[in-house]
């Protein structure tokens, strides 16, 4: 830290993104990206938009906002786009948390919540997951805090039913509840259907996973018009052109190719079920997942050692060096072929590992 940096950041530990190695090619199952390319129209529209990059992008994201509102059955004023869902989550922390309104989220969840809270000097509470790594919805009633819940959760993959989410929203009427649905397209009912009934509910989603646009950086937040107007005010105070023209065009193309997205999600779910079964046969504990990844652990090998052994065999997964997650690796679900390579590599590693 230079001597000019504000001391308020002296203890900040930034988010650590998953590896994006350039030195060799890996079977990349470490950052929950899609193994499939962006849809044909997403690619075509982005290329076309490249021809007008001398112009600023549309700060209102007019066309894509209209399209998503139509697809999701809401008003355009109930949605705001951002540079990945990371950005709209950050806007929510900025707008709806402060010294008097702390944040609350599970102790094992998306790592950025803690970083955002620390960066903004927002006090926060972390509620431990239960012994089976699930979120207990009862513990999120009447919190008096701004609630952040990833549903399905990461890196566990656990999904809370819509009834449980509604209970949480209903029991915190004076606080905003943010449901992060980055993985909802791989299994689960979206809480978007509740936004007309609750003025304290916000739901975030992303184009990074099911729509194969992680590198485009496109995410959105849905909610009551007044909440969205607050977030828009914040966006226009920082970076009105937060979504670039090529990404906006790619996103619109992806929305016009919804069938392609649905097909890909179906393949991921099938591959997830197959891989889970294969790993269980090898003696792994695999948590139930409604996402495009699984958390799997084996009593004979630590997460870190399995990660290292797989990397040597050209397969990247992710491990977390924390007490409860140490025994596990998080494996992104790829193509059928990639998952077959993974399971046969794991099989060999277990044979050789003493
Ligand atoms: N929420 C969760 C739970 C995630 O795992 C991720 C992806 N790392 C995000 C939000 C952010 O995704 P993006 O910014 O790519 O939309």
């Amino acid at each position: 830290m230079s001597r000019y940096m504000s001391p308020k950041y002296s203890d900040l530990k930034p988010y650590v993104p998953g590896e994006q190695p350039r030195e060799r090619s890996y079977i990349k199952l470490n950052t929950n990206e899609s193994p499939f390319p962006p849809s044909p129209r997403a690619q075509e529209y982005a290329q076309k938009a490249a021809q007008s990059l001398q112009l600023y992008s549309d700060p209102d994201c007019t066309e894509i906002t209209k399209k998503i509102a139509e697809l999701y059955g809401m008003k355009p004023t109930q949605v705001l786009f951002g540079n990945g869902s990371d950005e709209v989550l950050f806007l929510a922390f900025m707008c709806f948390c402060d010294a008097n309104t702390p944040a609350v989220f599970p102790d094992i969840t998306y790592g950025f919540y803690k970083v955002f809270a620390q960066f903004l000097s927002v006090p926060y509470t972390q509620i431990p997951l239960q012994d089976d790594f699930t979120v207990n919805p009862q513990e999120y009633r009447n919190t008096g805090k701004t609630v952040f819940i990833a549903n399905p959760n990461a890196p566990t993959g656990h999904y809370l039913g819509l009834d449980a989410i509604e209970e949480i929203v209903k029991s915190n009427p004076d606080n905003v509840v943010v449901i992060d649905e980055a993985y909802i397209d791989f299994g689960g009912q979206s809480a978007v259907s509740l936004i007309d009934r609750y003025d304290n509910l916000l739901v975030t989603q992303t184009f990074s996973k099911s729509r194969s646009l992680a590198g485009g950086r496109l995410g959105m937040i849905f909610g009551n018009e007044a909440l969205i107007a607050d977030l828009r005010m914040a966006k226009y105070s920082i970076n009105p052109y937060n979504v670039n023209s090529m990404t906006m065009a790619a996103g619109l193309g992806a929305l016009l190719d919804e069938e392609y997205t649905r097909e890909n999600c179906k393949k991921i779910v099938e591959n997830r079920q197959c891989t889970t079964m294969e790993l269980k046969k090898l003696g792994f504990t695999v948590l139930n997942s409604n996402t495009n990844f699984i958390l799997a652990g084996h009593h004979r090998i630590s997460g870190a050692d399995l990660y290292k052994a797989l990397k040597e065999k050209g397969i990247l997964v992710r491990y977390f060096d924390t007490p409860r997650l140490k025994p596990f690796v998080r494996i992104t679900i790829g193509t059928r072929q990639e998952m077959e390579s993974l399971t046969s590599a794991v099989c060999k590693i277990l044979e050789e590992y003493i």
Side-chain angles (χ1 to χ4, degrees):
M1 198 169 116
S2 81
R3 65 194 169 96
Y4 304 103
M5 180 71 159
S6 167
K8 72 183 173 191
Y9 297 125
S10 58
D11 290 332
L12 187 72
K13 288 198 181 57
Y15 177 74
V16 183
E19 293 169 86
Q20 299 288 0
R22 310 282 173 211
E23 79 282 3
R24 62 169 276 194
S25 77
Y26 285 95
I27 294 182
K28 206 171 165 302
L29 307 176
N30 68 329
T31 42
N32 299 344
E33 290 143 333
S34 172
F36 307 114
S39 84
R41 261 184 283 199
Q43 296 189 37
E44 182 197 324
Y45 281 33
Q47 274 171 19
K48 209 159 139 220
Q51 294 161 12
S52 309
L53 281 179
Q54 75 278 18
L55 304 175
Y56 281 108
S57 59
D58 169 12
D60 288 330
C61 304
T62 313
E63 254 191 292
I64 189 167
T65 301
K66 233 171 79 188
K67 185 69 199 167
I68 205 149
E70 179 194 311
L71 280 174
Y72 283 50
M74 62 178 68
K75 294 188 212 146
T77 43
Q78 292 175 305
V79 55
L80 185 77
F81 278 91
N83 193 297
S85 54
D86 282 339
E87 188 186 44
V88 290
L89 285 163
F90 185 60
L91 291 176
F93 268 90
M94 281 177 46
C95 290
F96 307 115
C97 301
D98 57 28
N100 300 316
T101 315
V104 60
F105 41 85
D107 65 337
I108 298 176
T109 189
Y110 185 36
F112 242 133
Y113 304 157
K114 192 166 147 186
V115 178
F116 287 156
Q118 288 174 350
F119 189 81
L120 295 167
S121 305
V122 165
Y124 61 93
T125 306
Q126 292 174 280
I127 300 180
L129 292 186
Q130 304 184 101
D131 290 344
D132 62 355
F133 290 91
T134 61
V135 169
N136 179 359
Q138 314 287 349
E139 294 179 279
Y140 293 83
R141 293 193 177 183
N142 307 303
T143 60
K145 301 180 174 75
T146 305
V147 180
F148 290 84
I149 291 184
N151 195 40
N153 196 13
T156 60
H158 171 243
Y159 167 72
L160 265 186
L162 197 56
D163 289 352
I165 295 292
E166 184 164 7
E167 274 308 311
I168 294 170
V169 177
K170 215 192 275 184
S171 70
N172 287 281
D174 297 323
N175 288 95
V176 169
V177 175
V178 181
I179 307 298
D180 172 353
E181 294 187 347
Y183 301 101
I184 197 71
D185 296 335
F186 303 104
Q189 258 181 299
S190 171
V192 158
S193 59
L194 303 176
I195 63 170
D196 278 332
R197 303 221 296 282
Y198 299 97
D199 66 359
N200 61 329
L201 170 64
L202 285 169
V203 180
T204 63
Q205 289 189 9
T206 181
F207 280 60
S208 296
K209 318 291 177 185
S210 58
R211 296 192 176 97
S212 304
L213 284 173
R217 314 301 303 125
L218 187 63
M220 60 280 197
I221 188 160
F222 304 103
N224 165 276
E225 282 180 304
L227 293 182
I228 297 297
D230 293 341
L231 292 160
R232 181 172 287 115
M233 186 276 291
K235 160 181 150 141
Y236 275 86
S237 305
I238 308 169
N239 186 9
Y241 307 111
N242 57 342
V243 181
N244 75 72
S245 317
M246 276 165 60
T247 291
M248 223 184 287
L252 182 63
L255 290 181
L256 298 172
D257 282 336
E258 279 290 86
E259 188 52 33
Y260 176 84
T261 300
R262 264 195 297 275
E263 281 298 312
N264 286 344
C265 289
K266 220 172 96 192
K267 287 183 205 156
I268 295 292
V269 171
E270 280 165 15
N271 295 349
R272 182 182 74 209
Q273 285 162 347
C274 250
T275 310
T276 301
M277 227 169 57
E278 291 300 319
L279 291 178
K280 281 185 174 173
K281 275 195 228 158
L282 294 174
F284 275 83
T285 300
V286 185
L287 302 195
N288 266 345
S289 169
N290 279 40
T291 64
N292 67 339
F293 59 84
I294 47 177
L295 198 65
H298 198 283
H299 64 279
R300 280 186 45 220
I301 187 166
S302 71
D305 281 357
L306 182 54
Y307 156 82
K308 274 186 229 139
L310 281 168
K311 191 169 180 182
E312 275 167 23
K313 292 194 183 309
I315 301 176
L316 274 188
V317 296
R318 188 140 192 205
Y319 79 98
F320 302 89
D321 195 13
T322 61
R324 285 184 75 188
L325 294 178
K326 255 198 215 146
F328 297 97
V329 289
R330 191 195 67 191
I331 305 166
T332 302
I333 305 299
T335 60
R336 179 168 282 246
Q337 208 179 5
E338 287 174 328
M339 300 324 283
E340 280 168 8
S341 302
L342 171 95
T343 43
S344 60
V346 166
C347 202
K348 279 203 196 92
I349 290 165
L350 286 177
E351 272 168 22
E352 291 159 8
Y353 194 77
I354 310 141

